[in-house]
Amino acid sequence: MLLATACAASPIALPAAATAPTTAAVEAGRGDLTTISPSSWLKRLRKETAKFRDPRVAERYGYERTDSCWEFPYKLPGGEPLGGMGYHYANERLIQDPKIDLMRPEILVYVPDGRGGRKLGAVEYFKRDRDQRIATADDRPTLLGQEFQGPMGPHEDGMPIHYDLHLWIWKDNPKGLFEQWNPRVKCPSGPAHGGHS
């Protein structure tokens, strides 16, 4: 995953948290999404990001390619793998914009397709922590009624303390739509990368 200064899908069943009505504040550039049903915003988001199923198109829109595939190399206490994320393509212009817009994710997450290629698995929203202190979280953003995870420290040189939120809209995640790690994502053979974005 390179974040220098900041940092054909099947239908997905929404977890209970995503289907419940939400009254939390939503930071989005296209209206108040708290009044829209989950099936509506999911359909809109998939339509908006469908063009990025081809990573080359994402690069033309300013998402920077990376060859670091993120997978948690250890198993949980019960023997269950935590899973992976894949390749993070970050759009620096969107990262620098403090506004969170559901239809314009700062990061696209591609998963290995098993044939040497990549396919879009998730979108990720990223926000820099205002005071750059992990001990405070007074500026934690929310989207679709979900609090962002964090604040979390840098995962690589140059990345700030930040918050993030994943939405697995193009690859089913049995752990849930908003989970960071997906147990169905496995990186190609080679050194595993721990941590996350």
Side-chain angles (χ1 to χ4, degrees):
M1 169 179 61
L2 179 59
L3 303 176
T5 60
C7 199
S10 57
I12 297 172
L14 291 172
T19 57
T22 176
T23 57
V26 173
E27 298 179 40
R30 302 196 182 181
D32 181 8
L33 296 170
T34 60
T35 61
I36 301 174
S37 71
S39 60
S40 295
W41 65 252
L42 182 58
K43 182 177 179 181
R44 284 175 54 192
L45 183 55
R46 286 171 61 93
K47 181 178 179 182
E48 191 71 23
T49 58
K51 59 183 170 284
F52 300 135
R53 290 166 67 182
D54 182 342
R56 294 169 299 184
V57 174
E59 290 180 66
R60 291 200 295 269
Y61 277 79
Y63 291 91
E64 188 174 345
R65 177 188 170 94
T66 178
D67 291 320
S68 295
C69 185
W70 289 76
E71 179 181 359
F72 194 78
Y74 309 107
K75 291 188 176 180
L76 298 173
E80 179 183 10
L82 187 57
M85 291 182 191
Y87 304 93
H88 293 71
Y89 286 45
N91 185 312
E92 191 65 30
R93 183 176 58 81
L94 295 177
I95 285 173
Q96 295 301 330
D97 182 350
K99 183 175 66 177
I100 302 294
D101 183 340
L102 178 67
M103 299 301 158
R104 298 174 67 210
E106 287 79 11
I107 301 168
L108 302 174
V109 183
Y110 290 87
V111 298
D113 66 4
R115 300 183 302 277
R118 302 173 185 185
K119 60 184 181 179
L120 188 57
V123 296
E124 181 178 345
Y125 301 89
F126 181 103
K127 184 157 185 173
R128 180 186 176 96
D129 180 61
R130 182 173 52 235
D131 63 10
Q132 289 299 287
R133 295 177 58 210
I134 289 180
T136 62
D138 59 318
D139 62 333
R140 181 190 308 279
T142 61
L143 186 66
L144 300 168
Q146 299 291 318
E147 290 189 344
F148 279 47
Q149 294 187 326
M152 59 190 79
H155 311 313
E156 61 183 29
D157 291 342
M159 181 187 289
I161 295 172
H162 65 281
Y163 301 92
D164 66 37
L165 181 69
H166 293 73
L167 271 76
W168 290 92
I169 63 169
W170 289 101
K171 182 173 180 65
D172 182 49
N173 186 344
K175 292 289 188 179
L177 183 68
F178 299 99
E179 289 296 315
Q180 286 187 314
W181 300 96
N182 188 332
R184 293 184 177 165
V185 174
K186 186 165 179 55
C187 290
S189 298
H193 297 274
H196 55 275
S197 83

